[in-house]
Amino acid sequence: MSKKNITLGEFIIENQQHFQYSSGELSRLINSIRLAAKVVNHEVNKAGLVDILGNAGETNIQGEDQQKLDVYANEVFMQTLINREIVCGIASEEEDDFVSVHGKTGNNENKYIVLMDPLDGSSNIDVNVSVGTIFSIYHRVTPVGTPVTKEDFLQKGVNQVAAGYVVYGTSTMLVYTTGHGVNGFTLNPAMGTFYLSHPNMEFSEMGNIYSINEGNYIHFDQGVKDYIKYCQSEDDGKEAYTSRYIGSLVSDFHRNMIKGGIYIYPKSKKSPKGKLRLLYECNPMAFLAEQAKGKASDGKNRIMEIKPTELHERVSFFCGSKKMVEKAEDFMNK
Ligand code: P6P
């Protein structure tokens, strides 16, 4: 009889054999993300009750107002990873540059680095719309024991060891991959335990949901405009697709992975390089998408093959059901 209600902790131990050469570091790293997710979840869920709403009075490197919860979530994930001495470096949407992590002895024998968006979609917090944390994990490429360099962070997405997200929605879920499929765990808040609720998550090859901010329509390239019209068309027996756009990447992606669909944030006259960041939004979501039999591109090129040049670089993003992404690419390449 297959195991039921396995916890995230039990799942990690059971899957340790995929990393027989690992000293359990990756498992400890996923566990530290689990802990931080529970702490952030607690704050996100009471955001309406105490003064942690609204702007922190600062802006991040993107010039975006930092929400108090953005700053809080960043501190929780950073501190949890640093305290547990599991990583040698961290990059975050909320930090201008990467952070080198030194052990208590001053040097650091750890081999993993983490890149994250600690609270994506946080402008939705004040209106009680779900938000998420996105994380991406790599082996460092510079020698263990030496200070991390930018080279460790500017790796192609194909090098990711693990990636995932936490979606703080009607329920809180942690969804992640280590390259062996995608599994979703739902938090039982009464127990503070994540349980395997969505084993082997996969995109259907086709779907009928498209997610894009059509308010930017006049700024889109012609290929994007043509694809939107295709989604709305009913020619040759095709039914019109449904438009669903939450304004929170993690939530739109999560719904599309369960129901089938495509999420698009293209470059435009308004956002010449796109809006989403390659390193800690698009690459982790692309890893998940491909592991879930979906696809992720910039409209032409596989996201995970793009060689990053800057920590916070932005990229055009098409992601979801494989045949829907391929159809959108056809319009982009006309
Ligand atoms: P717009 C949130 O700020 C985010 O990075 C994604 O989570 C979301 O899909 C997108 O931006 C929303 O951007 O320009 O449509 O409000």
Side-chain angles (χ1 to χ4, degrees):
M1 184 170 84
S2 63
K3 291 186 176 133
K4 293 231 179 291
N5 291 335
I6 184 173
T7 68
L8 174 55
E10 290 161 345
F11 182 88
I12 290 170
I13 291 165
E14 281 205 358
N15 288 277
Q16 177 66 39
Q17 79 270 6
H18 289 311
F19 301 93
Q20 65 272 33
Y21 305 114
S22 161
S23 57
E25 241 180 295
L26 181 62
S27 299
R28 284 180 24 241
L29 176 41
I30 302 286
N31 270 313
S32 63
I33 290 171
R34 171 179 62 158
L35 170 64
K38 287 196 278 193
V39 173
V40 170
N41 174 64
H42 181 68
E43 289 303 310
V44 165
N45 279 328
K46 70 177 189 186
L49 304 177
V50 291
D51 180 29
I52 46 174
L53 288 177
N55 289 357
E58 306 282 331
T59 57
N60 61 20
I61 190 171
Q62 330 295 343
E64 292 170 345
D65 289 340
Q66 282 184 309
Q67 304 289 325
K68 288 178 183 173
L69 267 173
D70 277 334
V71 175
Y72 174 78
N74 187 56
E75 284 164 6
V76 169
F77 276 94
M78 296 280 288
Q79 212 46 60
T80 305
L81 290 167
I82 291 167
N83 291 349
R84 293 192 161 195
E85 293 198 18
I86 304 167
V87 298
C88 53
I90 307 170
S92 167
E93 183 194 48
E94 302 304 330
E95 303 285 340
D96 294 357
D97 202 353
F98 67 84
V99 173
S100 181
V101 179
H102 306 287
K104 292 187 179 63
T105 58
N107 66 10
N108 189 323
E109 298 303 314
N110 297 316
K111 56 177 177 288
Y112 290 113
I113 61 162
V114 174
L115 300 98
M116 65 179 175
D117 184 354
L119 204 62
D120 180 71
S122 57
S123 56
N124 289 318
I125 282 275
D126 296 8
V127 295
N128 207 8
V129 168
S130 57
V131 292
T133 297
I134 308 171
F135 61 89
S136 172
I137 301 171
Y138 292 82
H139 284 118
R140 67 180 298 176
V141 291
T142 54
V144 172
T146 64
V148 286
T149 69
K150 191 150 280 192
E151 189 190 351
D152 291 308
F153 295 90
L154 298 183
Q155 299 185 52
K156 287 183 178 181
V158 286
N159 292 355
Q160 288 175 99
V161 173
Y165 58 80
V166 183
V167 52
Y168 309 99
T170 46
S171 61
T172 294
M173 283 190 67
L174 191 154
V175 178
Y176 80 99
T177 182
T178 56
H180 302 274
V182 177
N183 291 283
F185 299 82
T186 299
L187 178 67
N188 174 337
M191 312 276 284
T193 306
F194 282 98
Y195 287 92
L196 178 61
S197 53
H198 297 67
N200 299 313
M201 298 181 82
E202 290 184 356
F203 277 97
S204 50
E205 204 175 35
M206 247 331 263
N208 71 351
I209 295 173
Y210 71 104
S211 308
I212 186 169
N213 184 340
E214 294 189 55
N216 297 321
Y217 184 85
I218 59 170
H219 304 294
F220 289 150
D221 294 349
Q222 192 55 46
V224 176
K225 291 179 177 177
D226 292 345
Y227 180 66
I228 290 173
K229 290 306 167 203
Y230 169 78
C231 290
Q232 296 165 347
S233 71
E234 296 193 331
D235 309 332
D236 308 328
K238 171 185 170 297
E239 289 185 5
Y241 295 166
T242 296
S243 171
R244 286 284 183 275
Y245 191 71
I246 298 173
S248 177
L249 166 61
V250 169
S251 303
D252 282 315
F253 179 97
H254 187 76
R255 181 209 50 248
N256 290 348
M257 183 157 61
I258 292 172
K259 291 184 172 245
I262 184 172
Y263 171 96
I264 303 174
Y265 207 108
K267 63 180 175 55
S268 68
K269 296 187 193 77
K270 207 168 138 187
S271 312
K273 293 191 183 306
K275 175 182 183 184
L276 302 186
R277 291 80 170 180
L278 173 60
L279 289 186
Y280 41 78
E281 290 176 327
C282 298
N283 267 332
M285 301 311 270
F287 191 17
L288 289 162
E290 293 195 5
Q291 285 291 311
K293 297 186 178 151
K295 188 168 185 180
S297 80
D298 64 2
K300 292 184 169 59
N301 311 293
R302 183 187 179 200
I303 285 288
M304 294 210 289
E305 285 292 354
I306 297 173
K307 178 68 178 86
T309 55
E310 291 166 34
L311 214 46
H312 299 288
E313 75 180 73
R314 300 173 191 266
V315 69
S316 218
F317 195 51
F318 295 68
C319 181
S321 293
K322 190 171 172 40
K323 285 198 180 304
M324 297 183 82
V325 174
E326 289 168 349
K327 188 70 174 177
E329 289 170 340
D330 290 346
F331 281 97
M332 297 306 291
N333 295 313
K334 272 184 181 152

